[in-house]
Amino acid sequence: MFDQTFKRKAHLSLSRLLPRLEAYFKQQIEAKPGDWQIFLARLDSNFNNLFSLYSTLYASQYDFFYHLEGLLCSLASMWFQRPDELKGLDQLREKDPLWFQSNQMLGGVCYVDLFAGDLAGIMDQIPYFKELELTYLHLMPLYKTLEGNNDGGYAISSYREVNPRLGTIEQLISLATKLRENGISLVLDFVFNHTSDQHEWALKANSGDLDYQEYYRMYPDRRMPDAFEKHLREIFPDEHPGAFTYKKEVRKWVWTTFHSYQWDLNYANPAVFNCMIEEMLFLANAGVEVLRLDAIAFIWKQIGTSCENLPEAHMLVKAFNAAKRIAAPALIFKSEAIVHPDEVTKYIDPDECQLSYNPLLMALLWESLATRKTGLLKQALTERYAINPRCSWVNYIRSHDDIGWTFSDQDASRLGINGYDHRQFLNDFYTGNFKGSFARGLPFQSNPKTGDMRISGTTASLAGLEKALKEETSSEVELAVRRILLVHGIIFTLSGIPLVYLGDEIGNLNDYSYQKDPIKSADSRWVHRLKMDQQKLERRKKTGTIEYRIFENLLKLIKIRKENAILSSGFLQVMDLENEHVLGLVRSNGTVKIILLANFTEKVQTIPENVLKIYVSDNSLYNLSTGHKFHLKKIDLDPFEFAIFITA
Ligand code: GLC
Ligand code: GLC
């Protein structure tokens, strides 16, 4: 991959720098010679790659070599600080790099305060996480942040401190250890596109320190901002137009893609990259096993472009990846790119992000529920589901964010669907404005200039449970519960890590109380970020309750997943059922086949025997959900039924 000239340069650079490193870390090397050897071996295998990326990004800077040396020092220093237990984990993961592809993997995500009050509360909930059989727990941003409005914690004032309301860094470290002892990997956000305006670097920049002003993108007048904005998308148009905020203290415009208190970091400055490497490794050394790379698409800016998904953004992530392979190889990355599907997949690479959210599947599950048609979903599963075999999707139904309809317009037009119109329909449908809609969602960031809008709401409210409970009869309640189980059934039986937005497992409904809170009222995403109601949670144990219905059935699905390795590793085939309302999938590994059938309508759908025969040569099938074995014949699917059959 690298030519001889390049290899010589890389080798020469490293051999010039190593004696300096050895001098700086003399004491540590003498104390732990074995650890140093491991470090050197990993440096040796990853240096060419790191050097190539780093020099492509930064070699034109007059002080390139100074920063390169600084980077290697950071790596060595963070490695020496890495606890022995985690060094052990590094070795385990290097032996089993695809650990996250196991069918035992199951994720949960929650806010610390909303779910359990604080970190001590989360510690107490470990038995609950085990009841759900979670192996992956994503705690939403828990770092030191701004008082008041802080974008749900995504405005970070220190990557090394926990928000004092939630606990301390020591508690976080013990929680990570305790979770690991219980077979659960801790997942945290790495909000690396921006810091809050109260981060030490931002405060220094705002007080006029030029070195720190170069940590961000600051401009003395509107010339550059205007030029950039010609090509930028507005992310939070409700809050401020464009992407810049004027800071009167320094009389400069600062780049703020999201809120005006979230300042975009300037990765064109190698000092920023080096600092963020240390912050990342600090989190890895605290015991975090997966970092969610927040707002990954935005980290590099280039005039004349949309400043999203630029090639340099990929190089940066690859450089972060090479760095963690040297100093904390157990760590893996999850990409949060909620963008066009062509762009989403570009981040998915063993050398970049090993995991990625699957926003397309998420959006199309909702799309299929609204339309009762599975065309777009089938197309996406056929054409866009396959990714690098050493990586995995993280499949989800809901997250703390809004739902954006990120399907490809070209894909849609091949099915005769106009993307723009279809998004308008989906927005109408999920805000409950479309006649007959079962959904109770809210608009998010509706932009009159572009007609763009996204959707907020909990899974249960979007799936019809809220409307059914408040306005309708028990049969509509039943349909809503089935919709919830149906979409979960799909993510639990595909390869990838299924991720549950905690609260969905008991059918949490929208909570409108945020509208009375001045800090939250402008952001409808709070409607689906609610406090866990412990009494409601207890009802999961009481037969006859809705909570029980949803919870128990999800547990059954989880059990099926965990008992059938084929569900995480088998080959995926989308069936042609000659019925647009039913999604049919085959999972096979050569010997066993699992057939998944999902009816997206409120009517019974029949799959004729001759159609099934194309996919199943065996004469009998065993229904994993009901335990019923039968000779191959037509299958009648109940309204919104999700059925799982195995060839017996
Ligand atoms: C990500 C987060 C979102 C946040 C934004 C800015 O998209 O998921 O909640 O508002 O980044 O950090
Ligand atoms: C993300 C996405 C956008 C999402 C937002 C958070 O970066 O690109 O679709 O809505 O941040 O809300």
Side-chain angles (χ1 to χ4, degrees):
M1 164 180 156
F2 300 113
D3 69 18
Q4 286 309 323
T5 326
F6 172 82
K7 280 192 195 156
R8 234 195 100 243
K9 285 186 191 164
H11 181 76
L12 194 57
S13 305
L14 187 59
S15 59
R16 282 171 175 165
L17 287 171
L18 267 183
R20 304 173 69 101
L21 276 192
E22 278 159 0
Y24 290 134
F25 293 98
K26 193 163 180 289
Q27 275 185 345
Q28 289 96 321
I29 296 174
E30 278 167 13
K32 292 196 161 180
D35 280 8
W36 181 242
Q37 287 311 317
I38 296 177
F39 180 80
L40 287 181
R42 290 189 181 132
L43 186 59
D44 192 50
S45 356
N46 293 287
F47 187 75
N48 281 356
N49 190 19
L50 181 62
F51 183 71
S52 150
L53 294 159
Y54 201 73
S55 54
T56 310
L57 290 163
Y58 301 123
S60 61
Q61 314 249 352
Y62 77 95
D63 52 357
F64 167 71
F65 220 71
Y66 164 82
H67 289 292
L68 180 63
E69 180 176 337
L71 175 61
L72 293 191
C73 283
S74 297
L75 296 181
S77 145
M78 297 313 278
W79 166 250
F80 279 117
Q81 289 172 45
R82 189 156 172 82
D84 286 340
E85 194 216 325
L86 294 171
K87 288 179 175 159
L89 186 69
D90 289 335
Q91 285 177 343
L92 279 179
R93 297 302 196 222
E94 278 178 334
K95 278 195 207 108
D96 180 20
L98 302 184
W99 60 277
F100 51 81
Q101 292 187 341
S102 153
N103 65 315
Q104 299 308 306
M105 289 299 293
L106 177 66
V109 49
C110 66
Y111 283 88
V112 172
D113 53 346
L114 297 177
F115 192 80
D118 54 18
L119 287 178
I122 293 285
M123 191 82 112
D124 293 341
Q125 290 292 342
I126 290 178
Y128 179 66
F129 302 141
K130 296 208 57 157
E131 183 182 339
L132 262 177
E133 298 196 48
L134 299 188
T135 61
Y136 158 126
L137 180 67
H138 176 192
L139 297 177
M140 297 300 295
L142 43 72
Y143 308 95
K144 183 173 166 193
T145 182
L146 308 174
E147 281 299 314
N149 216 336
N150 54 36
D151 193 23
Y154 281 95
I156 293 181
S157 304
S158 163
Y159 298 95
R160 301 191 184 211
E161 286 167 77
V162 169
N163 179 341
R165 281 194 304 113
L166 306 178
T168 62
I169 193 73
E170 290 73 25
Q171 275 181 303
L172 181 68
I173 294 169
S174 0
L175 175 66
T177 313
K178 191 88 190 161
L179 287 170
R180 213 169 20 259
E181 283 165 15
N182 282 279
I184 302 173
S185 299
L186 178 62
V187 184
L188 288 188
D189 280 84
F190 188 43
V191 185
F192 72 141
N193 175 67
H194 45 266
T195 73
S196 86
D197 60 2
Q198 298 301 308
H199 190 286
E200 189 193 336
W201 307 333
L203 290 174
K204 287 185 179 151
N206 209 28
S207 70
D209 184 324
L210 291 180
D211 286 349
Y212 283 96
Q213 289 190 0
E214 285 173 5
Y215 272 47
Y216 300 94
R217 290 190 169 257
M218 300 180 100
Y219 303 95
D221 51 47
R222 283 293 309 178
R223 208 173 45 88
M224 290 300 282
D226 284 342
F228 273 114
E229 275 176 1
K230 280 205 190 99
H231 307 276
L232 300 182
R233 187 160 71 99
E234 291 181 321
I235 304 298
F236 288 159
D238 286 2
E239 200 235 15
H240 63 86
F244 296 84
T245 302
Y246 187 66
K247 296 307 295 179
K248 57 180 180 332
E249 294 84 346
V250 282
R251 300 214 207 120
K252 284 187 175 167
W253 290 89
V254 57
W255 197 307
T256 55
T257 298
F258 296 91
H259 293 99
S260 42
Y261 51 79
Q262 286 163 306
W263 293 17
D264 289 46
L265 285 162
N266 174 20
Y267 281 97
N269 177 359
V272 168
F273 178 80
N274 288 5
C275 284
M276 291 305 283
I277 285 285
E278 286 203 7
E279 304 311 279
M280 170 184 86
L281 293 173
F282 176 86
L283 296 171
N285 287 352
V288 178
E289 294 184 45
V290 182
L291 279 178
R292 168 190 185 275
L293 301 188
D294 179 65
I296 193 170
F298 300 88
I299 58 178
W300 192 268
K301 334 281 187 199
Q302 175 73 52
I303 194 96
T305 73
S306 69
C307 298
E308 289 186 44
N309 310 304
L310 295 180
E312 290 83 354
H314 292 278
M315 282 184 215
L316 277 169
V317 181
K318 287 193 170 125
F320 274 108
N321 199 73
K324 67 94 181 153
R325 284 211 177 137
I326 296 168
L331 182 70
I332 59 169
F333 293 153
K334 174 175 63 163
S335 146
E336 190 247 347
I338 314 300
V339 288
H340 190 283
D342 289 344
E343 299 297 339
V344 173
T345 44
K346 289 185 191 156
Y347 295 93
I348 307 176
D349 188 292
D351 292 329
E352 204 165 331
C353 291
Q354 297 74 25
L355 302 178
S356 166
Y357 281 105
N358 192 343
L360 182 63
L361 177 68
M362 181 276 293
L364 293 182
L365 287 172
W366 289 110
E367 189 270 345
S368 298
L369 282 179
T371 58
R372 279 81 161 170
K373 290 185 186 161
T374 59
L376 280 172
L377 182 59
K378 279 180 192 157
Q379 183 192 50
L381 287 167
T382 310
E383 297 173 13
R384 294 190 179 270
Y385 199 74
I387 49 173
N388 186 303
R390 290 161 63 205
C391 297
S392 276
W393 288 115
V394 172
N395 292 321
Y396 63 113
I397 305 297
R398 284 301 288 118
S399 76
H400 70 293
D401 275 334
D402 43 287
I403 301 176
W405 308 109
T406 58
F407 57 82
S408 143
D409 281 11
Q410 273 174 333
D411 288 1
S413 74
R414 284 195 282 128
L415 300 181
I417 297 170
N418 173 298
Y420 182 87
D421 294 347
H422 202 49
R423 287 188 184 87
Q424 302 298 317
F425 157 72
L426 291 166
N427 284 330
D428 276 349
F429 189 92
Y430 280 106
T431 48
N433 290 324
F434 188 82
K435 196 165 169 282
S437 164
F438 49 74
R440 286 287 176 265
L442 295 179
F444 179 70
Q445 303 291 334
S446 134
N447 190 341
K449 276 189 269 177
T450 57
D452 187 32
M453 186 177 120
R454 282 114 71 185
I455 296 293
S456 293
T458 65
T459 295
S461 288
L462 296 178
L465 190 59
E466 180 175 334
K467 182 178 181 213
L469 286 171
K470 289 185 183 155
E471 300 164 26
E472 297 170 321
T473 62
S474 58
S475 57
E476 274 86 12
V477 171
E478 175 63 25
L479 293 179
V481 168
R482 289 186 187 192
R483 285 188 197 98
I484 297 172
L485 295 173
L486 170 75
V487 285
H488 280 94
I490 293 171
I491 65 162
F492 285 155
T493 50
L494 282 171
S495 60
I497 303 178
L499 174 63
V500 179
Y501 186 64
L502 294 177
D504 280 356
E505 74 281 17
I506 53 164
N508 270 350
L509 300 180
N510 284 349
D511 176 358
Y512 298 95
S513 64
Y514 81 96
Q515 289 168 343
K516 292 189 211 93
D517 180 340
I519 289 171
K520 298 179 174 168
S521 59
D523 187 337
S524 70
R525 290 175 298 174
W526 287 103
V527 82
H528 55 256
R529 299 171 176 177
L530 50 142
K531 207 166 154 10
M532 192 54 145
D533 173 345
Q534 288 303 325
Q535 282 177 349
K536 185 171 163 63
L537 187 58
E538 277 303 298
R539 287 203 290 275
R540 75 185 184 279
K541 299 176 184 155
K542 195 156 179 270
T543 41
T545 63
I546 287 172
E547 293 79 4
Y548 178 88
R549 274 268 289 131
I550 301 176
F551 192 85
E552 280 304 303
N553 282 298
L554 289 184
L555 280 191
K556 275 191 201 151
L557 285 166
I558 292 170
K559 191 160 173 276
I560 292 175
R561 179 175 189 84
K562 297 214 173 192
E563 284 173 355
N564 293 282
I566 177 178
L567 291 176
S568 68
S569 57
F571 176 76
L572 171 71
Q573 184 186 8
V574 178
M575 300 165 82
D576 180 5
L577 296 175
E578 297 162 22
N579 179 333
E580 60 179 354
H581 307 296
V582 179
L583 174 71
L585 302 174
V586 182
R587 307 299 314 279
S588 59
N589 63 4
T591 40
V592 189
K593 264 190 186 172
I594 289 192
I595 311 285
L596 307 160
L597 297 175
N599 174 2
F600 275 87
T601 67
E602 37 277 277
K603 296 200 183 79
V604 172
Q605 300 288 336
T606 302
I607 311 299
E609 183 178 339
N610 62 337
V611 173
L612 287 167
K613 274 219 164 114
I614 301 172
Y615 301 94
V616 195
S617 45
D618 305 50
N619 275 331
S620 46
L621 280 180
Y622 181 78
N623 182 328
L624 282 174
S625 331
T626 59
H628 180 63
K629 191 175 169 181
F630 59 98
H631 274 286
L632 192 62
K633 58 172 176 21
K634 76 172 170 68
I635 293 178
D636 289 326
L637 293 167
D638 281 342
F640 299 111
E641 181 174 354
F642 180 71
I644 312 176
F645 305 97
I646 191 162
T647 49

